[in-house]
Amino acid sequence: MLGFMECTLGEIVSAKSSKLSRPLLLKNKGKSHGQIIISAEESCGSNDVVCLHFSASGLDKKDFMGKSDPYLVILRQSEGGWVPVHKTEVVKKTLNPSWRPFSMPLRTLCNCDFNRFLKVQCYDWDRDGKHDFIGEFISTLNELVACSRGRKSFECINKAKTDKKTYKNSGIITLFRCSITPRHSFLDYIKGGCQICFTVAIDFTASNGRPSLPSSLHYINPFEPNPYILALRAVAEIVQDYDSDKLFPALGFGARVPPDVEVSDVFFLVWLQPIRL
């Protein structure tokens, strides 16, 4: 083994350009065996959100009263076949529905592959659960995004009817909108200069009990940290990597502090100096 280096994920992503360089060391030997450079990169497009808005006209009549209760199912192609990723609401008793706009993560719709085939199926909802298939069309996200610059219509085709000479389609599905919006991640904010400042305040009021009793949250156990220390340590060990000066203000409230020995609502723990509000 050439050596090892230990760090946290927070140290890597908060480093300049998300690139951390550390020396490689061997146990029991302080000599460096070179440098190791670790960089972090977020998957491209993984946080983007797709918004789609569809309507339809001239759908096939499937109900007894000459209407339909249409809804759409969006599917993406996978190695094992077609996988449903979204279902719209049902619009009752119409052959010309307009569905509400809907949004979903880009990775859910096409796993960030703009050329992956998508299938849009239209069904007529039935109370007994045996929904009638109206028709479908196949496209890609690249095509849908290009179409969103203006309304684009797709023929809704039922392959079971294509043998009929008079058959044209089972309606027209129109895409009104297809937009992709980036959703900023925690890593984006860190790269943009955001820092997390950790400040702690400890309750010194009598509600915590006498510090000399084991039942008190302030009890100093000679064998293990008390709940306050455990909580502070758990949070600070994570947050410290995102704070450039590594200085954490520590305050208290509800104790009698000198020189007046009066109860203070807020004071610094280091000098027990009350803060004038």
Side-chain angles (χ1 to χ4, degrees):
M1 183 176 71
L2 293 177
F4 73 96
M5 184 276 288
E6 293 181 352
C7 68
T8 65
L9 178 61
E11 289 178 293
I12 299 172
V13 299
S14 62
K16 187 176 181 180
S17 301
S18 294
K19 186 177 292 185
L20 182 69
S21 178
R22 291 280 179 84
L24 282 173
L25 303 174
L26 283 175
K27 289 184 178 180
N28 304 323
K29 295 182 181 180
K31 185 179 179 180
S32 173
H33 290 258
Q35 295 279 326
I36 183 170
I37 301 173
I38 304 175
S39 59
E41 182 179 354
E42 195 171 22
S43 298
C44 180
S46 62
N47 292 314
D48 291 353
V49 175
V50 182
C51 182
L52 296 165
H53 185 194
F54 289 102
S55 70
S57 60
L59 295 178
D60 286 351
K61 303 173 184 178
K62 293 292 184 178
D63 291 341
F64 177 73
M65 299 299 293
K67 298 288 185 180
S68 291
D69 303 321
Y71 67 91
L72 297 178
V73 177
I74 315 296
L75 307 95
R76 77 179 189 194
Q77 191 179 46
S78 66
E79 294 180 358
W82 294 95
V83 179
V85 295
H86 183 78
K87 176 182 175 182
T88 69
E89 78 281 6
V90 176
V91 182
K92 294 290 190 73
K93 299 179 180 179
T94 181
L95 301 180
N96 305 293
S98 180
W99 293 280
R100 292 192 298 267
F102 59 90
S103 300
M104 70 174 72
L106 181 63
R107 59 181 177 270
T108 300
L109 178 64
C110 61
N111 200 26
C112 305
D113 181 357
F114 280 62
N115 293 314
R116 176 172 297 199
F117 286 115
L118 304 173
K119 183 183 290 187
V120 179
Q121 294 183 329
C122 185
Y123 286 89
D124 167 51
W125 178 86
D126 285 331
R127 190 180 300 274
D128 60 5
K130 297 179 180 179
H131 311 309
D132 299 317
F133 178 69
I134 296 177
E136 64 185 15
F137 71 88
I138 295 177
S139 185
T140 64
L141 185 58
N142 259 336
E143 184 181 7
L144 297 180
V145 171
C147 294
S148 66
R149 300 186 182 94
R151 292 186 183 183
K152 172 68 176 181
S153 297
F154 299 88
E155 286 190 306
C156 187
I157 302 297
N158 187 336
K159 291 183 179 180
K161 295 184 177 182
T162 53
D163 292 337
K164 299 180 180 179
K165 293 183 179 181
T166 58
Y167 180 78
K168 292 184 178 180
N169 57 57
S170 295
I172 300 295
I173 297 178
T174 301
L175 174 67
F176 283 101
R177 176 189 177 192
C178 177
S179 61
I180 300 176
T181 304
R183 179 175 291 175
H184 297 294
S185 65
F186 175 73
L187 184 57
D188 292 329
Y189 286 102
I190 294 299
K191 287 183 175 181
C194 177
Q195 294 191 29
I196 300 177
C197 299
F198 180 63
T199 303
V200 60
I202 297 177
D203 180 7
F204 282 89
T205 62
S207 61
N208 282 318
R210 291 181 177 274
S212 58
L213 299 177
S215 59
S216 172
L217 293 176
H218 291 166
Y219 177 67
I220 305 300
N221 191 319
F223 303 105
E224 62 181 9
N226 63 27
Y228 262 115
I229 296 176
L230 289 174
L232 291 173
R233 185 177 295 168
V235 177
E237 285 180 350
I238 297 174
V239 174
Q240 66 177 346
D241 295 328
Y242 306 101
D243 192 331
S244 61
D245 60 13
K246 301 294 187 293
L247 299 176
F248 313 120
L251 301 98
F253 62 92
R256 297 182 182 275
V257 297
D260 300 328
V261 195
E262 295 180 352
V263 176
S264 175
D265 293 329
V266 57
F267 54 87
F268 290 106
L269 295 182
V270 179
W271 298 283
L272 293 179
Q273 178 181 357
I275 299 174
R276 305 298 181 185
L277 300 177

